[in-house]
Amino acid sequence: MQNNKCVFLLAFILILLSPVIKAAESPTILSMKDRAAFIDSITEKRINTLLPTLMQQHNIDMWLMISREYNEDPILKTMLPATWLSARRTTILVLARNASGAVDAFAIAPYKIGNVFKKAWDKQAQPNQWRALNELIEQYQPRNIALNTSTDWAHADGLVLGDYKQLMSTLPKPYQSKIISAEPLAVSWLEQRIPEEVDMYKHIVSIAHHIIAEGFSSNTITVGETTSDDLVWWFRERVRELKLQTWFHPSIAIQRADSKSFDHEDSFTNGYADNVIQAGDLLHVDFGITYLRLNTDTQQHAYVLKPGETKAPDYLVDALKKGNKLQDIFTAEFTAGKTGNQVLKAAREKAIAQGLKPTIYTHPLGYHGHAAGTTLGMWDSQQGVPGDGDYPLHLNTAYSIELNNAVFIKPWNKEIRIMLEEDALFDKTGVWYLNGRQTELLLIK
């Protein structure tokens, strides 16, 4: 019955949003109450439908998460009710496979944790929280108990030393030898998207695109007065006005026909200089929002028209096309089972053979902006990334397709970078962009 309510609520919300998903000019943003309802319904559906498959796939009987207030495990935070902004006191979540293959969800905590987790600790009957945990473990007698420890992914390494010591000091000895790392399960939980999330993700990315278009316009920019730093703070303020959040501070870069070369590596490490926006400038933004626990990460370009101009110069239009070509070469290499380093190598070789000058640094996207999953290059690791670059691609996972292509602009007598980043899903059909991608420069009058 609870599952039916969950499906009905999701369908109702998506029906409400269906007209605005198509209407990029004015995306609708849910009220805080409706956001909470959506988040909780997604959490319930993921635990009931996705998690049993993942636990069976990775042969894990019990998944145990422990957090103290304000020092939360990153994965535990993805399972808390929307109204819980942190753990409370010591919060213990137990996810156990039962005889039928389904997953039973329990909370051993002083408070009730939403509707998904059954309260498994009666403090009056059993004052010791850790003994209550042991009683539950004995009830299931798991072959293994998975904890969030990981070398390659910080997201999956959320069990802190104090909680680990407390667990091991009270856990019965027969079970101490059954402790394993939850890393493969933890990464799968974070990277896998269910259909209802994908439908909403399209809408979330459309909101991010809309904000960028609004920022890169004459309604926001006064040419000759507005500085790049002014525009950065406009993005921060605009996100707050919409009752949203950014997960990183935006950045604005300016490339123009002057004697200064654009140092990509220096910009990554030291940030961009603050400059007054002028006619003839090529602007670039790096911007991301967090909404309904999902994150976006987008980079796009705009051209500031000179007096009398109605379009961007052909050499900049062509430069953007080469950036799109690099995207196509790269995403065509995505195949389930291939590692990030294999895809990176093949894409770079093909792009270079076609006369491009690529740098690829694509990352997973989802509950975190730089999320768990397959890493496909870093700006300073173009020969491959040890660890998470050796992880294979899986279907139904989201990525921020992030890369740049260097192009020599003859009229400017220098090399520029077309830096693109668009959010996409990888599924059985291949890689497709959640709300399209930039194929034309935004124009600022």
Side-chain angles (χ1 to χ4, degrees), residues 101-172:
V103 171
D104 297 328
F106 298 98
I108 300 174
Y111 307 99
K112 184 178 185 293
I113 301 180
N115 297 319
V116 181
F117 292 91
K118 182 180 178 182
K119 198 171 188 302
W121 180 31
D122 182 350
K123 195 173 181 180
Q124 299 301 319
Q126 174 53 274
N128 190 300
Q129 185 175 12
W130 298 95
R131 287 184 181 176
L133 170 61
N134 290 338
E135 289 171 7
L136 185 63
I137 292 172
E138 288 285 2
Q139 179 183 330
Y140 279 84
Q141 298 187 0
R143 292 169 302 165
N144 52 49
I145 301 173
L147 305 178
N148 287 345
T149 59
S150 173
T151 300
D152 294 325
W153 288 275
H155 327 71
D157 195 34
L159 180 63
V160 300
L161 182 60
D163 291 332
Y164 174 76
K165 286 182 174 180
Q166 181 67 56
L167 170 67
M168 298 307 289
S169 69
T170 56
L171 189 67

Side-chain angles (χ1 to χ4, degrees), residues 2 50 68 110 137 139 168 192 225-226 232 234 270 276 287 292 298 342:
Q2 195 73 4
L50 175 62
R68 282 170 288 166
I137 292 172
Q139 179 183 330
M168 298 307 289
Q192 290 287 314
E225 294 182 17
T226 304
V232 165
W234 178 90
N270 298 315
V276 176
F287 171 72
L292 300 171
T298 310
Q342 289 172 333

Side-chain angles (χ1 to χ4, degrees), residues 128-408:
N128 190 300
Q129 185 175 12
W130 298 95
R131 287 184 181 176
L133 170 61
N134 290 338
E135 289 171 7
L136 185 63
I137 292 172
E138 288 285 2
Q139 179 183 330
Y140 279 84
Q141 298 187 0
R143 292 169 302 165
N144 52 49
I145 301 173
L147 305 178
N148 287 345
T149 59
S150 173
T151 300
D152 294 325
W153 288 275
H155 327 71
D157 195 34
L159 180 63
V160 300
L161 182 60
D163 291 332
Y164 174 76
K165 286 182 174 180
Q166 181 67 56
L167 170 67
M168 298 307 289
S169 69
T170 56
L171 189 67
K173 284 189 177 181
Y175 292 104
Q176 291 184 14
S177 62
K178 297 184 178 183
I179 295 295
I180 63 171
S181 170
E183 181 183 86
L185 173 60
V187 174
S188 294
W189 168 263
L190 292 175
E191 73 171 350
Q192 290 287 314
R193 304 271 70 84
I194 63 174
E196 293 81 359
E197 286 178 295
V198 174
D199 286 338
M200 183 57 78
Y201 226 151
K202 299 175 192 175
H203 177 63
I204 296 171
V205 177
S206 77
I207 294 172
H209 282 171
H210 179 75
I211 295 170
I212 289 174
E214 188 180 358
F216 276 163
S217 73
S218 55
N219 293 329
T220 303
I221 297 171
T222 301
V223 179
E225 294 182 17
T226 304
T227 71
S228 52
D229 205 42
D230 291 336
L231 190 53
V232 165
W233 285 106
W234 178 90
F235 277 101
R236 289 295 302 270
E237 294 287 354
R238 184 64 181 131
V239 168
R240 284 291 185 171
E241 289 171 3
L242 295 170
K243 299 180 182 179
L244 299 172
Q245 292 178 310
T246 55
W247 62 272
F248 67 94
H249 190 60
S251 64
I252 299 291
I254 300 177
Q255 299 180 84
R256 56 171 56 134
D258 59 15
S259 59
K260 296 179 182 178
S261 61
F262 184 77
D263 191 326
H264 182 243
E265 292 189 12
D266 180 68
S267 299
F268 264 117
T269 54
N270 298 315
Y272 300 114
D274 185 24
N275 289 295
V276 176
I277 296 171
Q278 304 285 1
D281 284 350
L282 178 66
L283 305 184
H284 164 269
V285 66
D286 190 353
F287 171 72
I289 62 171
T290 301
Y291 178 48
L292 300 171
R293 287 190 176 166
L294 296 171
N295 295 273
T296 72
D297 199 358
T298 310
Q299 295 180 46
Q300 293 190 347
H301 288 277
Y303 175 72
V304 185
L305 294 167
K306 295 178 180 179
E309 284 186 324
T310 58
K311 62 179 184 176
D314 289 343
Y315 52 81
L316 293 182
V317 172
D318 291 340
L320 177 60
K321 288 180 179 178
K322 289 180 179 177
N324 290 148
K325 183 178 181 180
L326 176 58
Q327 289 174 322
D328 293 339
I329 292 171
F330 174 55
T331 57
E333 293 298 320
F334 275 57
T335 303
K338 268 189 179 181
T339 69
N341 291 334
Q342 289 172 333
V343 172
L344 174 70
K345 184 176 185 294
R348 279 179 49 79
E349 288 175 352
K350 289 184 179 179
I352 292 169
Q354 295 186 42
L356 300 178
K357 197 171 180 181
T359 307
I360 297 170
Y361 34 99
T362 286
H363 56 84
L365 193 69
Y367 284 139
H368 305 93
H370 293 154
T374 307
T375 296
L376 301 106
M378 291 185 177
W379 65 268
D380 54 351
S381 298
Q382 287 298 284
Q383 302 311 309
V385 182
D388 49 0
D390 296 315
Y391 186 73
L393 288 166
H394 297 95
L395 298 180
N396 305 316
T397 52
Y399 297 86
S400 195
I401 305 298
E402 184 178 10
L403 44 74
N404 78 65
N405 185 59
V407 182
F408 185 81

Side-chain angles (χ1 to χ4, degrees), residues 24 36 40 84 132 174 261 444:
D40 289 345
W84 278 49
S261 61
I444 302 168

